[in-house]
Amino acid sequence: MKKLLICDLDNTLYDWVGYFVPSFYAMVDEAVKIIGCDQDLLLDDLKRVHQKHNDSEHPFALLEANVVKSCYPDKNRRELAQIFDPAFHAFNSERKRRLQLYPGVRSGLDQLSASGVKLVAHTEGKLFSVLDRLRRLELLEYFSKVYCRERSNSSHVRPEVGRRWLSDFPMERVTELSHHQRKPSSDVLEEICQKESIGPGDTVYIGDSIARDMMMAKAVGVLAVWAKYGTNNARDDYAALVRVTHWSDADVKREKDLKEQSVGIEPDFVLEHSFSEILTCFSDA
C-alpha cells in the first residue's frame, strides 16, 4: 500500500474560486459604498496591490489601494481598518457561507489517517491564508506537514493579533517555500519526498491542475491523481478573478506555455465526483 499522500489544497479539498471570488467582491461592493468611487477604479487599484505583492490574497490589500489612501490621507492602517470594517465583515460573512469541503474529503482523510497513510499538504498559497483556511475547515489535524509559500511581508493591522495567531500554531509543522519553488518544479516534489523519508514509488499526489500538479507528479514518478471535480469552476467567477489577479504578463505567458507543455499528460487516476474515490489508490488489491 502507498505510504504518503501529498495533497494540493485550493480546488482539491475545497472550492477556492467559488468561495473567494464572491467574498472578495462582497468586500469591494461595501468599500465602494464607503468611498463613493467607481468600482473599476478600485478594482484596478487592488490588482496593482496584488501584483506588487505577487498574491491575490494579500492581507488587507484594500488598505493599500491608492483611492483609499487618497480619500483618507491622514489615517493610519488601524484607523483605515476601522473605517472599512463593514467591507471586511462582508468578506468574512460571505466566506463563512461559501467555504466548505468538497464531498468525501473528511471521510476520505479519516479513513486514510486510520489506515496509517502519512498526509502532507502542498500549496502555492501563502502562509497566513493557507493556515487560516485549514483552521476554519478543521483540517489541520490531518496533516503532519504543510508546505506553502512564504508569508506575506505585510503585518496585521493589529500586530498583537498576528503574533498571537502564529504563536498558537505549531510552526515546526510548516515549511515555507520561496516564490521560485513553484509548480510544476520536479525539484520541489522530490524535496518533499526526501524530507518525508518516503520514496516516489510509495507516494500519491492529488491536485486539480493537469499543467501544474499532474505534470509535476508524472515527472517525479509519484502516482498522479487528478481531482477532476475541482475543475468545475463557474466561468463568471473565473473571469472576475482574472480581473483582480496578481498575474503579470509574464505569468500569463508562463501559464499558456505550461498548458502547451502538458498536452498529452495523462493522470494515473481520475477522481470524477468525490475526494473519497482516492481510497482505491491505497487499496492493497
Side-chain angles (χ1 to χ4, degrees):
M1 187 176 79
K2 300 290 186 181
K3 299 177 181 178
L4 172 65
L5 173 62
I6 304 175
C7 280
D8 174 54
L9 298 178
D10 296 347
N11 301 315
T12 295
L13 300 186
Y14 47 82
D15 185 353
W16 182 82
V17 174
Y19 107 79
F20 178 75
V21 172
S23 301
F24 183 85
Y25 278 83
M27 178 191 72
V28 168
D29 288 343
E30 286 298 317
V32 165
K33 293 177 186 177
I34 294 170
I35 303 169
C37 70
D38 179 73
Q39 187 193 64
D40 280 334
L41 176 64
L42 179 56
L43 292 177
D44 287 342
D45 270 359
L46 289 169
K47 185 176 181 70
R48 281 191 287 269
V49 174
H50 293 162
Q51 289 183 328
K52 174 184 176 182
H53 296 282
N54 195 38
D55 186 11
S56 297
E57 291 187 278
H58 181 65
F60 303 104
L62 183 60
L63 307 184
E64 297 183 36
N66 289 336
V67 65
V68 169
K69 292 189 290 186
S70 65
C71 286
Y72 304 96
D74 300 323
K75 301 295 183 181
N76 60 37
R77 277 171 58 86
R78 184 173 292 207
E79 291 170 332
L80 286 175
Q82 292 175 338
I83 293 171
F84 287 93
D85 183 67
F88 295 127
H89 179 73
F91 181 98
N92 292 335
S93 296
E94 197 68 18
R95 173 177 57 189
K96 185 176 181 179
R97 188 168 73 88
R98 292 179 179 270
L99 178 59
Q100 54 188 307
L101 298 176
Y102 281 127
V105 169
R106 192 169 305 281
S107 62
L109 292 175
D110 281 337
Q111 292 184 63
L112 290 170
S113 296
S115 65
V117 174
K118 190 174 188 180
L119 305 173
V120 303
H122 175 218
T123 176
E124 291 195 328
K126 286 193 175 183
L127 176 71
F128 293 112
S129 299
V130 170
L131 296 187
D132 182 69
R133 276 194 290 279
L134 291 177
R135 275 176 162 164
R136 291 178 186 277
L137 293 167
E138 299 181 341
L139 291 177
L140 280 174
E141 63 182 273
Y142 294 104
F143 298 110
S144 60
K145 187 66 71 70
V146 177
Y147 295 86
C148 62
R149 279 176 59 196
E150 56 195 342
R151 70 195 73 185
S152 171
N153 60 8
S154 176
S155 62
H156 197 283
V157 292
R158 296 169 59 195
E160 69 278 9
V161 173
R163 288 192 296 269
R164 184 171 64 249
W165 192 88
L166 277 180
S167 66
D168 289 342
F169 185 81
M171 291 302 293
E172 68 274 7
R173 288 168 53 192
V174 175
T175 295
E176 296 179 68
L177 304 171
S178 74
H179 174 63
H180 302 289
Q181 294 174 288
R182 302 168 66 186
K183 299 178 182 179
S185 170
S186 58
D187 292 342
V188 176
L189 188 49
E190 288 173 347
E191 181 181 336
I192 292 174
C193 289
Q194 291 172 359
K195 287 186 175 181
E196 300 303 323
S197 300
I198 298 177
D202 290 320
T203 300
V204 177
Y205 192 100
I206 177 174
D208 65 291
S209 171
I210 294 290
R212 293 174 178 270
D213 300 315
M214 298 301 95
M215 189 158 64
M216 176 178 64
K218 297 287 282 188
V220 175
V222 306
L223 191 72
V225 178
W226 182 35
K228 184 179 179 181
Y229 59 78
T231 63
N232 299 321
N233 306 124
R235 183 173 297 179
D236 289 346
D237 280 351
Y238 189 76
L241 174 63
V242 172
R243 173 69 177 83
V244 296
T245 187
H246 63 281
W247 296 337
S248 64
D249 290 343
D251 290 325
V252 172
K253 182 180 184 304
R254 179 177 184 268
E255 197 70 18
K256 181 181 178 181
D257 291 343
L258 287 177
K259 286 183 179 180
E260 292 176 354
Q261 294 170 25
S262 66
V263 172
I265 294 291
E266 294 289 341
D268 298 309
F269 197 80
V270 178
L271 310 187
E272 295 281 353
H273 308 292
S274 169
F275 176 88
S276 60
E277 295 169 24
I278 199 172
L279 295 173
T280 302
C281 301
F282 290 87
S283 170
D284 288 324

